[in-house]
Amino acid sequence: MAAAAEPGTLSWLGGGSPRRGSPSSSPDLGSRGRSRPGLGSGPERAGARTPGSAALGHSFRKVTLTKPTFCHLCSDFIWGLAGFLCDVCNFMSHEKCLRQVKTPCTRMAPSLVHVPVAHCFGSRGLYKRKFCAVCRKGLEAPALRCEVCELHVHPDCVPFACSDCRQCHQDGHRDYDTHHHHWREGNLPSSARCEVCRKACGSSDVLAGLRCEWCGIQAHSVCCATLAPECTFGRLRTMILPPACVRLLSRNFSKMHCFRISESAASEPGEVDDSVEGSAPTAGPAKDVLMSESSKQTLKIFDGSDAVQRNHFRVISVPRLARSEEVLEVALRAFYIMEDTRGFELQPLPSPVQAGDPGSQGKAWSGGTLEEEGSRGPGSREPTPEAWIIRALPRPEEVLKVYPAWLKVGVAYVSIRVTPQSTARSVVLEVLPLLGRQAEGPESFQLVEVLMGSRQVQRTVLAEEELLLNWLRDLQKTSLRQMSQTRLYVAESRAVVPRSSLFIGGLPPGLSPQEYSSLLDEAVATKAGLVSLSHVYSSQGAVVLDVACFAEAERLYMLVKDTAVHGRPLTALVLPDVLHTKLPPDCCPLLVFVNPKSGGLKGRDLLCSFRKLLNPHQVFELTNGGPLPGFHVFSQVPCFRVLVCGGDGTVGWVLAALEEMRHRLVCPEPSVAILPLGTGNDLGRVLRWGAGYSGEDPLSVLVSVDEADSVLMDRWTILLDGHEASAAENGLADMEPPKIVQMSNYCGIGIDAELSLDFHQAREEEPGKFTSRFHNKGVYVRVGLQKISHSRSLHKEIRLQVEQQEVELPSIEGLIFINIPSWGSGADLWGSDSDSRFEKPRMDDGLLEVVGVTGVMHMGQVQGGLRSGIRIAQGSYFRITLLKATPVQVDGEPWVQAPGYMIISAASPKVHMLRKAKQKPKKAGTPKDARTDGGPTPEGDPK
């Protein structure tokens, strides 16, 4: 067999026509609702079921309520002492609601997934008033969430979660005409309203209600059946990058790699710690059983040989007088397996001493009670084994479900009976006529095994002579849970041209393409026939590689991440292709940059929120490659906007990258909006984005960006020529080349740059303490008090020329060049008084204002609104001579500048910024947009 891992979206796999308004969390969940998961063919498990619950896999039983309980369908309180509980997924319901239940049971849901897409689980965190999508219980302990969708799960429930994440790109195998809703159940705010009946559909008490993770509409599980299946992306439709317009061949890359999610933010959510046997998860309802009761016995259950090797087990609690069928039923339920117990048996797990005994593993439970099993054997005193393994009984033949791997077909799957002689080729021959493809030759098709894990979707092409009954028995022996998560697809055996784009950053700048090619060949041994340089960004020290082999792309990606060139570690990113010709005419996607280290460290939550509200392919983390990868991905998009989440220094970083990339962009002048995350946020204040982000709804931020007005702003170029004056006079100038930086807000020389430098050094030493904007300002105050008696006489150490004219400086300690009417966290340094010598300042007038301050006390008075700065000059060209090494800061980024020259001049063209529209008073009784009610809130500020 030829195996290939495909952890991304397998959009070409699947079949059947989606049923309208499916209440599941899959985009097309619900086609052929009576199909059972897994590959076996046993009858439905016996139990007290209603006709509706049987089709959805639930096993309801009447229970006595001992504490306040809510219905998972209508979310109302269950009055009285009786309710109906599903023994498998803990779904609780009124008796009157049983026949209206549309949500499939956890053990049934994997079989209803239309397109399997793996999840991206981040690090563990506390998510208040959230519920697990597998066991439906509250997340009281640290739990996991998907970074792309609204799935929340307990760590021990991860292996049983559906691979039903959002499909955010095409993988080159399948195109589709329309995009359908992607429903996710529960975890809605209490204020959520149903799109159909306009009644409350959210709940903070149970997992209830549905929300589309693309357009954000919300509905009851019963009401959503009346909604059209097509999704229009809602209020953000013009800002979202449509999945049909993004292509990424992700055969060998995980979803974390495809979406550029930092691995430092994601722990490995394993099932159980292999080293701690007692930390294994407890199965389903047994968590609520008191283990101290003498009438109960606790057993460890393994679901196959793979679980035994990994020491991954589930713990169940059963009565000591329970029969073997009852114990087996509880064991299967612990692994969410919905098969008849007559097809399985429990075998005692051999101890290490008995492992070499070939007969010890084959002794199955004989059918007696636990006490009877414990009394059998020599001396009748041998205790009941504490560990058991579930084994599937061999059958002479099986019934397999085979799914069509193309979109437009009339059935979801077909059932095929396989015998010991059945091969993959014979099954293909039998399936094609049932799917209406009998006119085509079987040599054009292949049988594909797809393992739909919650964290990875693996695809394996079966060999034509593979005996399917033997293949199934091997799979059953390995893991019964994996068997229930495995599908067979019949797919066209057309060759897919492998192509992956890798961004490589951190290289030495200023080299030629040939030099970069030689450097990479020396560092990571690139293969010339498979790897080529498609784009070279010499000034930034980065290249984009086109790799014509999936295995080679994976090798390069993993190798580059552990490689350093000239002492600098390299950066590797997997980049998608934006199919710009398929973009709708009114589409203006938003390119989002987030700096998680800015200001109050709220960027991590915003990253997750924006990935869920938009397409994660349009959200970039600046600490992982900078802004260049984002501009490269959007280079062919005819019209787009930019949102920068960070401080003033972050905004300047992105604007500088935009200036360098402008000639490569089809949209050379994208407008830039700001979500201020820094400490000062002066540019954000001027553009009405506020003094700093304080936990507002991310959806309302995106709506404000969509409604913002475009304005022009000057950009300035600062040439730093730090030659020693004495060396220049002797003709022995320093060989260090001049440095060029870009400025948007202001440039400070002297005392204000010195304070900024001290703050920057303190933050670099202990970054963990600088998580609060209030704390950061407190550090500024403390540093300023330490410098309050400091006297430098800056006017004696520098010379200033404005428009080629020498300007005499007054007695000052700081010289500041300002481009916007905000400095030092909102202070008006220039002042509002009219002066006939100068024009009224504007951020797009092509002029800079030069202001002096006499010391820390003067700066404090300016920030308090008691004074303004000393107006010195106004112009468009400045030359500053530094006679000594002097602190300098540009847009909040400080350093010590060597003696030499500084030349400040206007950069062209002007940059387009987005200014937030003035808030209009809301009319009473105006309904909120559905997406506004249901958009995800930052997880750091849970409701």
Side-chain angles (χ1 to χ4, degrees):
M1 292 186 294
E6 191 160 356
T9 304
L10 293 176
S11 61
W12 65 284
L13 294 175
S17 301
R19 189 175 65 187
R20 283 174 173 260
S22 166
S24 62
S25 34
S26 165
D28 298 312
L29 223 135
S31 52
R32 291 298 185 269
R34 294 185 179 273
S35 62
R36 296 199 315 276
L39 302 168
S41 60
E44 291 285 351
R45 206 172 95 351
R49 298 185 179 180
T50 64
S53 65
L56 296 170
H58 290 292
S59 180
F60 285 112
R61 62 184 173 90
K62 194 173 184 179
V63 294
T64 301
L65 304 179
T66 59
K67 59 183 179 180
T69 308
F70 295 84
C71 177
H72 290 200
L73 179 68
C74 64
S75 70
D76 290 338
F77 185 77
I78 301 179
W79 296 95
L81 300 177
F84 286 82
L85 174 71
C86 177
D87 285 330
V88 180
C89 68
N90 300 312
F91 191 102
M92 179 68 72
S93 173
H94 291 104
E95 184 176 6
K96 64 180 181 180
C97 295
L98 279 179
R99 293 186 178 275
Q100 300 179 14
V101 172
K102 303 295 183 182
T103 304
C105 184
T106 300
R107 64 181 178 181
M108 187 75 175
S111 67
L112 303 178
V113 173
H114 189 217
V115 180
V117 182
H119 292 282
C120 297
F121 292 109
S123 56
R124 299 190 185 191
L126 290 173
Y127 305 113
K128 298 180 181 178
R129 306 194 77 84
K130 300 288 185 180
F131 297 89
C132 176
V134 176
C135 67
R136 309 183 70 89
K137 295 187 177 183
L139 302 178
E140 299 175 355
L144 297 166
R145 69 175 179 186
C146 178
E147 297 287 324
V148 178
C149 68
E150 280 293 312
L151 182 79
H152 292 75
V153 290
H154 293 107
D156 54 296
C157 291
V158 169
F160 307 99
C162 272
S163 55
D164 60 348
C165 193
R166 289 194 300 165
Q167 185 179 358
C168 299
H169 60 262
Q170 296 184 5
D171 64 354
H173 295 283
R174 171 183 172 191
D175 296 329
Y176 44 85
D177 302 325
T178 58
H179 195 84
H180 288 199
H181 290 299
H182 186 104
W183 297 110
R184 178 70 61 197
E185 184 187 16
N187 294 320
L188 305 182
S190 301
S191 59
R193 295 286 173 180
C194 177
E195 184 74 9
V196 179
C197 65
R198 304 309 302 172
K199 295 181 180 179
C201 62
S203 174
S204 58
D205 301 302
V206 292
L207 193 72
L210 299 173
R211 186 181 68 87
C212 174
E213 296 194 288
W214 284 109
C215 66
I217 65 171
Q218 299 153 145
H220 295 103
S221 59
V222 177
C223 295
C224 78
T226 63
L227 294 172
E230 292 78 14
C231 180
T232 60
F233 297 106
R235 175 63 181 84
L236 306 178
R237 59 184 175 276
T238 59
M239 308 176 69
I240 292 178
L241 190 62
C245 301
V246 184
R247 181 179 60 194
L248 178 60
L249 304 183
S250 55
R251 183 69 58 83
N252 288 57
F253 295 107
S254 71
K255 290 283 292 298
M256 305 291 286
H257 299 157
C258 294
F259 296 136
R260 304 166 303 280
I261 298 175
S262 298
E263 296 181 2
S264 59
S267 61
E268 184 67 20
E271 299 170 67
V272 189
D273 185 359
D274 291 347
S275 61
V276 186
E277 207 173 292
S279 65
T282 306
K287 292 182 181 179
D288 301 329
V289 179
L290 296 177
M291 298 303 176
S292 60
E293 297 181 11
S294 59
S295 61
K296 300 284 186 179
Q297 175 152 339
T298 301
L299 303 177
K300 300 175 184 177
I301 305 296
F302 297 82
D303 76 324
S305 303
D306 183 68
V308 174
Q309 293 178 359
R310 296 174 179 268
N311 196 28
H312 291 171
F313 55 86
R314 304 279 284 177
V315 176
I316 65 172
S317 179
V318 293
R320 292 184 180 274
L321 298 178
R323 305 292 299 179
S324 61
E325 294 82 2
E326 298 173 356
V327 177
L328 183 57
E329 182 179 0
V330 175
L332 290 174
R333 188 188 308 153
F335 289 94
Y336 300 96
I337 298 173
M338 55 169 304
E339 297 290 334
D340 183 22
T341 57
R342 290 175 293 181
F344 300 90
E345 66 178 5
L346 281 173
Q347 296 179 357
L349 186 69
S351 63
V353 178
Q354 296 175 333
D357 182 7
S360 62
Q361 191 170 351
K363 299 176 182 178
W365 199 307
S366 63
T369 64
L370 286 176
E371 291 187 354
E372 290 173 351
E373 290 291 325
S375 64
R376 300 180 192 275
S380 299
R381 294 295 180 184
E382 183 180 347
T384 304
E386 294 184 356
W388 296 79
I389 184 170
I390 309 175
R391 290 297 188 189
L393 296 175
R395 300 177 183 173
E397 58 183 28
E398 296 277 359
V399 175
L400 302 183
K401 300 172 185 176
V402 181
Y403 294 74
W406 51 86
L407 182 62
K408 297 178 180 179
V409 67
V411 295
Y413 63 89
V414 293
S415 297
I416 300 296
R417 189 173 299 276
V418 295
T419 63
Q421 292 76 34
S422 298
T423 63
R425 181 178 177 82
S426 65
V427 168
V428 171
L429 286 171
E430 190 175 353
V431 165
L432 289 179
L434 301 176
L435 297 176
R437 305 294 289 265
Q438 61 272 15
E440 304 180 43
E443 62 277 357
S444 302
F445 296 88
Q446 58 191 6
L447 205 59
V448 181
E449 170 198 347
V450 177
L451 174 59
M452 306 184 301
S454 60
R455 287 175 290 167
Q456 188 176 27
V457 176
Q458 292 182 333
R459 173 178 172 269
T460 304
V461 179
L462 299 182
E464 289 188 353
E465 302 305 321
E466 179 85 20
L467 295 175
L468 290 187
L469 198 57
N470 293 342
W471 164 81
L472 175 58
R473 289 171 180 171
D474 291 340
L475 185 59
Q476 291 172 338
K477 185 179 297 185
T478 301
S479 172
L480 294 177
R481 174 178 55 84
Q482 290 185 15
M483 181 192 71
S484 65
Q485 295 177 339
T486 301
R487 282 184 184 175
L488 286 180
Y489 285 86
V490 56
E492 297 182 47
S493 56
R494 57 184 180 182
V496 177
V497 179
R499 180 182 177 275
S500 300
S501 294
L502 293 182
F503 172 88
I504 310 297
L507 297 168
L511 303 183
S512 65
Q514 293 76 16
E515 290 173 322
Y516 280 123
S517 181
S518 301
L519 186 63
L520 288 174
D521 184 56
E522 179 183 350
V524 294
T526 56
K527 298 180 180 179
L530 300 176
V531 182
S532 61
L533 269 65
S534 63
H535 295 80
V536 176
Y537 300 99
S538 180
S539 59
Q540 293 99 329
V543 298
V544 178
L545 304 180
D546 265 352
V547 187
C549 175
F550 292 130
E552 176 65 9
E554 183 185 22
R555 185 190 73 85
L556 287 177
Y557 177 83
M558 303 305 296
L559 189 59
V560 166
K561 293 179 64 176
D562 297 329
T563 302
V565 174
H566 298 173
R568 292 182 57 191
L570 298 183
T571 301
L573 297 175
V574 182
L575 299 183
D577 292 327
V578 177
L579 309 177
H580 59 279
T581 57
K582 292 187 176 182
L583 289 172
D586 61 340
C587 183
C588 182
L590 184 68
L591 175 59
V592 181
F593 294 109
V594 182
N595 186 353
K597 295 184 178 180
S598 291
L601 297 180
K602 293 184 173 65
R604 186 65 60 189
D605 292 325
L606 284 171
L607 267 172
C608 186
S609 296
F610 286 141
R611 286 190 183 117
K612 295 175 181 180
L613 288 168
L614 303 169
N615 191 323
H617 286 299
Q618 61 190 109
V619 181
F620 289 80
E621 183 179 350
L622 286 172
T623 55
N624 191 15
L628 182 58
F631 285 124
H632 172 81
V633 170
F634 274 62
S635 60
Q636 299 302 313
V637 177
C639 178
F640 68 94
R641 287 181 165 187
V642 179
L643 174 62
V644 183
C645 306
D648 289 338
T650 302
V651 176
W653 182 15
V654 174
L655 292 179
L658 174 61
E659 184 67 28
E660 294 187 11
M661 281 286 295
R662 191 183 300 273
H663 65 285
R664 296 175 182 254
L665 300 178
V666 175
C667 176
E669 297 180 353
S671 300
V672 181
I674 300 172
L675 182 58
L677 298 182
T679 302
N681 303 313
D682 290 290
L683 186 55
R685 295 170 190 263
V686 172
L687 297 174
R688 301 178 186 156
W689 294 107
Y693 178 73
S694 56
E696 295 85 359
D697 181 13
L699 174 64
S700 64
V701 173
L702 295 179
V703 172
S704 297
V705 172
D706 190 38
E707 298 174 347
D709 304 317
S710 181
V711 296
L712 294 176
M713 185 183 72
D714 296 326
R715 287 275 291 168
W716 298 84
T717 299
I718 303 179
L719 174 64
L720 304 170
D721 193 1
H723 292 171
E724 296 285 348
S726 58
E729 293 174 359
N730 298 330
L732 300 175
D734 194 347
M735 298 303 294
E736 181 181 354
K739 180 182 178 182
I740 297 177
V741 297
Q742 302 290 328
M743 184 191 80
S744 301
N745 302 351
Y746 41 73
C747 171
I749 304 174
I751 185 63
D752 74 311
E754 191 172 349
L755 297 183
S756 181
L757 182 62
D758 290 346
F759 171 83
H760 180 76
Q761 291 173 346
R763 183 170 58 180
E764 290 294 318
E765 291 176 359
E766 296 179 298
K769 292 185 177 181
F770 292 76
T771 59
S772 166
R773 192 176 292 113
F774 180 79
H775 174 268
N776 294 354
K777 292 183 178 181
V779 174
Y780 263 116
V781 172
R782 186 187 66 193
V783 172
L785 292 176
Q786 294 173 351
K787 304 282 185 180
I788 196 168
S789 60
H790 176 78
S791 178
R792 187 187 185 100
S793 300
L794 183 70
H795 60 285
K796 298 179 181 179
E797 299 178 358
I798 65 174
R799 299 288 183 268
L800 173 64
Q801 290 183 6
V802 181
E803 309 292 356
Q804 308 295 332
Q805 298 293 325
E806 191 81 21
V807 176
E808 183 178 354
L809 296 175
S811 178
I812 57 175
E813 295 296 323
L815 187 66
I816 304 168
F817 301 81
I818 55 177
N819 184 47
I820 60 174
S822 179
W823 168 86
S825 300
D828 186 3
L829 189 60
W830 181 259
S832 57
D833 297 338
S834 60
D835 193 331
S836 58
R837 298 176 300 166
F838 307 109
E839 298 181 14
K840 185 178 180 179
R842 295 199 327 269
M843 55 190 279
D844 62 343
D845 57 2
L847 299 175
L848 278 181
E849 288 70 47
V850 186
V851 185
V853 293
T854 60
V856 175
M857 185 68 69
H858 187 187
M859 293 170 59
Q861 292 172 336
V862 170
Q863 292 185 335
L866 302 177
R867 293 179 60 184
S868 59
I870 302 173
R871 298 178 181 178
I872 296 177
Q874 190 179 51
S876 60
Y877 181 86
F878 307 87
R879 180 185 176 94
I880 305 100
T881 303
L882 302 179
L883 304 180
K884 293 183 179 179
T886 308
V888 175
Q889 65 103 355
V890 174
D891 292 344
E893 302 299 324
W895 71 90
V896 176
Q897 180 62 29
Y901 303 101
M902 293 176 57
I903 297 177
I904 305 177
S905 59
S908 59
K910 302 177 187 292
V911 64
H912 291 250
M913 303 298 293
L914 288 174
R915 182 169 59 193
K916 187 177 181 180
K918 292 184 177 180
Q919 294 291 336
K920 298 179 181 179
K922 293 183 179 180
K923 297 181 180 179
T926 302
K928 294 183 179 180
D929 184 83
R931 188 67 187 254
T932 305
D933 289 340
T937 57
E939 297 292 357
D941 185 25
K943 293 186 178 180

